[in-house]
Amino acid sequence: MLSNIYLTPFDNEMTRRGHKLTRFADDWLVLCRTRAEAQQALKEATEILTELGLTLHPEKTRIVHITMGFEFLGYKLKRGKGLKLPASKLSKKPNAQGLYAVPKEQSIRRFMDQIRLKTKRKVPLALKEIIDGINPIIRGWGIYYRKAHVRKLFSRLRKWIVRRLWSHQLKRWRNCGWRKYPDRVLYSHYGLVNLIQLIPDISKRS
């Protein structure tokens, strides 16, 4: 909150100079059409921040082309053709620039580590208690990233979470958990949050 207040003059001055600035707390980016324009924006941003008594982080501050991709607020943003779906599976038209966003690898690993910690086979809790413990994590992480290109990722993580629950209950990795705790029971009876159902276009159709 202090960053948002203190950097308001930075926002206003960059906007006044015609730059397309996006900022949250002390993380910000400027969209430019050419490298020369980006270099000028960086020069002016440095001047404005210096007047505010601030300096840019030498390693985090860089100029990149969208085809190379960059990370911002937990997302990896890039332009390419790697995430195209068949027309029959598209719920809305893709953007003309071929832009896409996915969660950072570090964020995915942190999410999995949190789930892994709460579903260890030695955790002395009943299945319902385990699910109640991981639901806020699943819901919070899923809602934050649900508007990105995450259908395949969410599907993979959803299956992985179910396998973690089976392993916790049956105390071994290779088991027949699907017989005792099929997906429909975990979601309907135990109230497990379904990552896939958090995606807006899918939840509207279900």
Side-chain angles (χ1 to χ4, degrees):
M1 183 165 53
L2 290 176
S3 294
N4 285 331
I5 295 171
Y6 194 77
L7 287 172
T8 296
F10 171 68
D11 300 343
N12 295 338
E13 182 60 19
M14 288 292 284
T15 301
R16 188 187 69 79
R17 298 187 187 193
H19 298 299
K20 295 182 179 180
L21 173 74
T22 300
R23 182 182 65 81
F24 180 81
D26 60 348
D27 289 324
W28 57 272
L29 62 86
V30 177
L31 301 179
C32 303
R33 290 168 293 184
T34 65
R35 184 172 185 83
E37 187 178 313
Q39 290 172 333
Q40 181 61 28
L42 179 57
K43 178 177 179 294
E44 294 183 21
T46 302
E47 293 172 353
I48 298 168
L49 291 171
T50 299
E51 292 178 2
L52 293 172
L54 302 172
T55 57
L56 293 171
H57 194 291
E59 296 179 4
K60 294 182 178 179
T61 305
R62 59 197 183 104
I63 296 174
V64 297
H65 194 275
I66 187 61
T67 54
M68 300 299 294
F70 63 91
E71 295 179 350
F72 186 60
L73 301 180
Y75 287 88
K76 173 77 173 182
L77 297 97
K78 196 173 182 182
R79 183 170 71 189
K81 301 179 180 180
L83 293 177
K84 284 191 173 181
L85 291 172
S88 60
K89 293 187 178 181
L90 289 174
S91 57
K92 56 185 176 183
K93 292 182 179 180
N95 62 76
Q97 294 79 22
L99 302 175
Y100 65 86
V102 294
K104 289 170 52 176
E105 283 298 323
Q106 297 96 314
S107 179
I108 298 172
R109 287 198 296 269
R110 282 196 297 270
F111 171 74
M112 295 181 72
D113 287 343
Q114 286 180 293
I115 299 297
R116 200 176 279 117
L117 182 64
K118 289 183 174 292
T119 56
K120 286 184 176 181
R121 282 176 282 178
K122 294 183 179 180
V123 174
L125 296 175
L127 180 58
K128 177 61 174 159
E129 293 174 304
I130 292 288
I131 291 176
D132 288 345
I134 65 175
N135 271 346
I137 300 172
I138 299 172
R139 186 179 293 107
W141 192 84
I143 288 176
Y144 185 76
Y145 288 109
R146 64 182 178 175
K147 292 188 177 180
H149 293 74
V150 291
R151 186 187 304 232
K152 289 184 178 179
L153 172 64
F154 276 20
S155 179
R156 175 169 61 84
L157 290 174
R158 181 187 66 82
K159 294 175 183 177
W160 175 77
I161 290 169
V162 168
R163 290 196 300 271
R164 292 289 307 181
L165 293 172
W166 289 346
S167 177
H168 175 270
Q169 288 300 294
L170 301 178
K171 309 303 179 188
R172 57 183 182 275
W173 290 111
R174 297 183 181 279
N175 56 60
C176 296
W178 57 271
R179 292 179 179 174
K180 187 173 183 180
Y181 302 106
D183 289 19
R184 66 179 184 278
V185 171
L186 292 176
Y187 294 120
S188 61
H189 180 71
Y190 289 96
L192 177 64
V193 172
N194 189 335
L195 270 173
I196 291 294
Q197 293 302 319
L198 295 177
I199 301 175
D201 293 330
I202 293 180
S203 60
K204 289 177 184 177
R205 295 198 300 268
S206 59

